[in-house]
């Protein structure tokens, strides 16, 4: 991650789980979260941002029985045209980092996805820095006769959340991971299962059970130090609870909810948590890379300054040589032309003079080039130190706001989710 490089976050879940809804809950906390971290943001308008605004509008005006549904993200004729939701982050009017959230249609994750859609998802997963996996908490926590007991998984978990398909996709994408990655498991529609601390810890336990194959996979030796795993439940509407399920003639089961109280407003809760952990992870990786870049630039500066000293000595010698040759040539040129012509036959001072001049020009060019490189390297060091300072301060504020109990947990990769010591 050098300069203002783009960092990518992808939403991964089947159709109808709530990818756009969790993006909407995150966006609701967006400006407040970054302002508290003393960071500025620049948001690019696009189709995903429009979908987020539409989603929030629906949820704000949803009926007491929560019958109106958010329109699922529709598949595109060409998935590669999906620009996602993009914003840039910086401080003091300087942009340091660009983030892109991609919210693919759930159709792309289905067995019936086209080869082009599958290739798109594969490429996105290969290129991404963070993966956000919304989980239908009701499907995970409910069975036909009521809420699951300890050791049980919800009746519709495999059907709705399709953890096996997601695990297969990640196994393929993570076959040759070189850089750190973050996976966030985010139970949504989880209001019913986070009423108390005990309820929330029970939800966390079932998330671990429901995604055990994925969690076992990322514990492998090749991924253990590269992949961070976080669980962050998000109440995407707030003030709603599960009521009942109903299965239609085609075998499709729909979950029904109701507001408590019936006039409760749209009030998502913990929408900032996935965003906080994403930023905590990305900034830690960013700072690690910037630390290496800074150390290398500081070494380059020392080498350049050493080389400048050597080349300045060469330049001074070249100047003295040039001045001496110019003095000799001027003396020769002051001679009467007949004697000068005879002298030049045996000792061509003009050729020697021009050799000295070329040598001086070459040494001046070398010094100017090194001086330019020193100026550029010094500016890089100063800019990098500014970035590190701004993001170190922001990192502390993101860390202070991250929840790590009552259903929230870091399951793996603490290295990339902690507040580092000063690197100066």
């Amino acid at each position: 991650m050098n300069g203002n490089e783009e960092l990518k976050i992808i939403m991964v879940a089947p159709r109808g789980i709530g990818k756009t809804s969790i993006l909407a809950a995150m966006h609701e906390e967006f400006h407040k979260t970054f302002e508290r971290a003393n960071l500025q943001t620049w948001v690019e308008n696009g189709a995903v941002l429009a979908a987020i605004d539409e989603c929030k509008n629906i949820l704000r005006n949803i009926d007491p029985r929560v019958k109106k549904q958010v329109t699922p993200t529709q598949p595109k004729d060409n998935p590669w045209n999906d620009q996602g939701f993009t914003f840039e982050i910086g401080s003091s009017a300087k942009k340091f980092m660009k983030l892109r959230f991609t919210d693919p249609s759930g159709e792309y994750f289905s067995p019936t996805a086209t080869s082009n859609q599958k290739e798109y998802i594969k490429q996105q997963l290969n290129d991404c820095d963070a993966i956000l996996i919304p989980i239908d908490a009701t499907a995970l926590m409910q069975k036909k006769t009521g809420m699951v007991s300890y050791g049980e998984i919800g009746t519709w978990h495999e059907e709705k959340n399709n953890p096996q398909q997601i695990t297969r996709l990640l196994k393929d994408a993570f076959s040759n991971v070189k850089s750190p990655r973050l996976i966030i498991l985010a139970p949504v529609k989880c209001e019913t299962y986070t009423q108390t601390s005990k309820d929330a810890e029970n939800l966390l336990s079932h998330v671990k059970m429901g995604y055990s194959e994925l969690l076992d996979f990322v514990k492998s030796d090749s991924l253990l130090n590269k992949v961070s795993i976080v669980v962050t439940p998000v109440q995407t509407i707030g003030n709603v609870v599960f009521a009942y399920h109903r299965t239609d003639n085609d075998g499709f089961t729909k979950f029904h909810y109701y507001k408590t109280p019936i006039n409760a407003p749209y009030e998502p809760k913990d929408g900032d948590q996935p965003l906080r952990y994403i930023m905590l992870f990305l900034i830690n990786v960013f700072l690690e890379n910037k630390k290496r870049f800074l150390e290398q630039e500081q070494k380059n500066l020392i080498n350049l300054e050493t080389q400048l000293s050597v080349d300045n000595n060469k330049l001074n010698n070249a100047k003295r040589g040039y001045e001496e040759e110019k003095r000799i040539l001027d003396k020769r040129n002051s001679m009467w032309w007949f004697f000068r012509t005879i002298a030049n036959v045996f000792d061509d001072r003009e050729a020697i003079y021009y050799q000295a001049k070329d040598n001086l020009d070459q040494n001046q060019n070398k010094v100017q080039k090194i001086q330019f490189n020193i100026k550029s390297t010094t500016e890089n060091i100063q800019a990098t130190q500014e970035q590190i300072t701004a993001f170190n301060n922001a990192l502390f504020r993101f860390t202070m706001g991250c929840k790590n109990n009552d259903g929230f947990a870091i399951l793996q990769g603490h290295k990339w989710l902690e507040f580092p010591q000063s690197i100066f």
Side-chain angles (χ1 to χ4, degrees):
M1 276 179 265
N2 295 322
N4 196 22
E5 184 173 338
E6 181 176 283
L7 310 177
K8 301 178 179 68
I9 303 98
I10 184 172
M11 316 289 289
V12 176
R15 184 181 177 90
I17 296 301
K19 297 189 301 298
T20 306
S21 296
I22 195 172
L23 264 180
M26 291 167 61
H27 188 259
E28 192 74 3
E29 300 289 336
F30 186 83
H31 297 292
K32 181 169 60 178
T33 301
F34 283 102
E35 284 175 3
R36 288 175 178 171
N38 287 338
L39 291 177
Q40 294 172 275
T41 56
W42 294 263
V43 180
E44 294 182 10
N45 291 322
V48 175
L49 183 57
I52 290 172
D53 289 337
E54 179 185 353
C55 175
K56 288 198 287 186
N57 185 55
I58 291 173
L59 294 176
R60 283 193 182 101
N61 296 284
I62 206 161
D63 58 282
R65 292 294 177 182
V66 197
K67 291 181 179 180
K68 192 173 183 179
Q69 299 293 310
V70 174
T71 304
T73 303
Q74 298 301 310
K76 300 181 182 299
D77 294 335
N78 184 358
W80 302 93
N81 290 334
D82 188 355
Q83 297 301 308
F85 167 49
T86 305
F87 63 95
E88 293 177 281
I89 303 169
S91 178
S92 302
K94 295 180 180 179
K95 300 176 182 180
F96 300 148
M97 183 187 294
K98 185 174 185 177
L99 270 62
R100 183 180 299 276
F101 282 84
T102 303
D103 179 22
S105 169
E107 297 291 344
Y108 300 170
F109 302 100
S110 71
T112 59
T114 66
S115 58
N116 193 32
Q117 291 168 347
K118 290 178 180 178
E119 183 60 30
Y120 169 76
I121 292 299
K122 180 179 179 180
Q123 187 65 50
Q124 292 296 314
L125 289 172
N126 285 335
D127 293 344
C128 73
D129 300 282
I131 298 169
L132 181 54
I133 304 175
I135 301 169
D136 188 323
T138 306
L140 177 67
M141 299 297 292
Q142 292 291 148
K143 56 184 180 180
K144 292 181 179 179
T145 56
M147 195 178 298
V148 295
S149 302
Y150 179 79
E152 293 181 322
I153 292 295
T155 303
W156 301 278
H157 176 56
E158 293 293 336
E159 173 191 339
K160 300 285 189 183
N161 292 316
N162 203 351
Q164 291 186 356
Q165 170 68 0
I166 289 174
T167 301
R168 283 194 295 270
L169 289 171
L170 293 186
K171 282 183 176 181
D172 186 30
F174 285 7
S175 60
N176 189 29
V177 171
K178 300 295 185 183
S179 58
R181 303 292 180 87
L182 172 66
I183 297 175
I184 294 183
L185 300 172
V188 296
K189 308 169 190 173
C190 61
E191 288 84 346
T192 305
Y193 315 105
T194 52
Q195 299 291 316
T196 66
S197 295
K198 184 178 179 180
D199 291 340
E201 290 301 320
N202 185 43
L203 174 61
L204 173 61
S205 176
H206 281 83
V207 169
K208 294 177 182 178
M209 290 171 53
Y211 289 84
S212 58
E213 184 182 353
L214 172 59
L215 296 178
D216 288 342
F217 165 65
V218 295
K219 288 177 183 175
S220 64
D221 292 341
S222 62
L223 297 177
L224 188 60
N225 294 320
K226 293 179 181 175
V227 179
S228 297
I229 304 281
V230 179
V231 178
T232 63
V234 177
Q235 299 181 30
T236 44
I237 301 177
N239 305 311
V240 298
V241 294
F242 172 70
Y244 60 93
H245 71 274
R246 180 167 292 167
T247 304
D248 61 23
N249 294 332
D250 296 324
F252 178 79
T253 299
K254 182 178 180 180
F255 302 133
H256 295 264
Y257 304 84
Y258 62 89
K259 287 185 178 182
T260 56
I262 60 172
N263 62 343
Y266 171 60
E267 200 171 41
K269 183 178 179 183
D270 296 322
D272 63 317
Q273 291 302 307
L275 183 61
R276 285 183 182 277
Y277 273 108
I278 287 171
M279 293 308 304
L280 188 59
F281 172 81
L282 293 179
I283 291 176
N284 264 308
V285 175
F286 177 88
L287 288 174
E288 183 76 10
N289 290 333
K290 285 298 177 182
K291 176 183 177 181
R292 288 197 293 266
F293 178 75
L294 179 62
E295 290 174 347
Q296 186 58 53
E297 287 294 270
Q298 289 170 334
K299 289 178 182 177
N300 291 343
L301 182 60
I302 292 172
N303 292 335
L304 287 169
E305 288 174 339
T306 301
Q307 188 62 46
L308 179 62
S309 177
V310 172
D311 286 351
N312 269 328
N313 289 333
K314 291 181 179 179
L315 177 59
N316 290 332
N317 291 334
K319 284 180 179 178
R320 285 192 291 269
Y322 167 75
E323 289 168 356
E324 177 63 15
E325 294 303 325
K326 185 176 185 301
R327 183 189 68 78
I328 294 172
L329 181 62
D330 288 344
K331 184 178 179 181
R332 172 71 58 82
N333 290 335
S334 67
M335 296 173 64
W336 185 44
W337 71 269
F338 179 77
F339 293 109
R340 184 170 70 244
T341 302
I342 294 173
N344 286 341
V345 170
F346 297 98
D347 183 18
D348 186 1
R349 301 311 303 182
E350 188 169 341
I352 297 174
Y353 164 78
Y354 281 112
Q355 287 177 357
K357 187 176 186 302
D358 286 343
N359 184 45
L360 175 61
D361 290 342
Q362 289 175 10
N363 279 280
Q364 284 178 329
N365 289 336
K366 282 184 180 179
V367 168
Q368 288 172 356
K369 183 177 180 180
I370 291 178
Q371 288 174 334
F372 175 82
N373 289 338
I374 286 176
K375 182 175 182 292
S376 177
T377 302
T378 301
E379 289 173 351
N380 283 341
I381 289 172
Q382 291 173 345
T384 302
Q385 288 173 332
E386 288 178 8
Q387 293 174 6
I388 289 173
T389 298
F391 280 105
N392 243 335
N393 294 335
L395 192 62
F396 177 75
R397 292 179 174 86
F398 280 122
T399 305
M400 291 298 98
C402 287
K403 295 184 178 181
N404 58 7
N405 52 28
D406 291 346
F408 296 83
I410 300 173
L411 304 184
Q412 181 174 307
H414 289 74
K415 171 185 177 181
W416 302 109
L417 297 166
E418 293 178 344
F419 179 66
Q421 301 298 316
S422 173
I423 65 175
F424 291 119

